[in-house]
Amino acid sequence: MSESGRDNGRDAEAVSRFVESFAAQLVEAGMQRMPARVFAALLSSDEGALTSAELGEQLRISPAAVSGAVRYLAQQHMVSREREPGSRRERYRVHSNQWYEALANRETVLKRWEAALSEGVTSLGGDTPAGRRMAETLAFFEFVDGEISAMMERWRVHREQIFGERPGLSQ
């Protein structure tokens, strides 16, 4: 960073305000605070990738905090780990299709919930009040699952029209 506080032509203070503001929005939506900050920092970096040290310095957090945040984000399919060429250091990368991947991961969760709810309907009996409530919940998740699948396909087409590339092919 230069003496003026600008990095790659950007005002580092403005970037920091964005990172914290966007992270606050993610926290409000239910994400844990530290993963939200790390994700926002990665998303706002030009390369879409930073090392643990770079994240720690930018966010003023410990290596352990970075590690925990990255572990959570990787489990959510929002970031990936990669080795720096010729180094033992890892870089953490956010991909252009991270929202797609995160939502696709949620679809798997919905399928598991549907299976559990179906078993619940069978166990409780579809003609009991609890069984009917369970069946309605199951129908809702089946509906959402179908809508997500259709929406994901529409997104693939829309993204290709706008950006001229298929999801997962760019960084």
Side-chain angles (χ1 to χ4, degrees), residues 121 131-141:
V121 171
R132 283 192 299 278
R133 193 171 43 251
M134 195 75 57
E136 184 176 345
T137 303
L138 172 60
F140 171 77
F141 283 118

Side-chain angles (χ1 to χ4, degrees), residues 53-100:
E54 290 167 335
L55 284 164
E57 181 180 335
Q58 179 181 340
L59 299 173
R60 296 180 181 94
I61 59 176
S62 71
V66 171
S67 179
V70 168
R71 185 178 324 107
Y72 172 85
L73 292 168
Q75 289 170 345
Q76 302 303 311
H77 304 280
M78 295 179 76
V79 301
S80 61
R81 298 171 194 251
E82 57 188 40
R83 289 267 185 223
E84 281 191 332
S87 170
R88 292 176 54 188
R89 291 192 322 173
E90 286 187 328
R91 292 172 59 83
Y92 307 109
R93 177 171 300 281
V94 63
H95 296 280
S96 61
N97 64 338
Q98 77 277 347
W99 298 113
Y100 177 90

Side-chain angles (χ1 to χ4, degrees), residues 103-124 131 133-150:
L103 195 53
N105 184 49
R106 296 294 184 262
E107 196 173 12
T108 304
V109 171
L110 286 177
K111 291 285 188 203
R112 288 196 311 256
W113 290 356
E114 288 171 22
L117 288 165
S118 181
E119 185 178 315
V121 171
T122 300
S123 297
L124 297 168
R133 193 171 43 251
M134 195 75 57
E136 184 176 345
T137 303
L138 172 60
F140 171 77
F141 283 118
E142 288 171 338
F143 175 81
V144 168
D145 187 29
E147 290 298 306
I148 288 174
S149 295

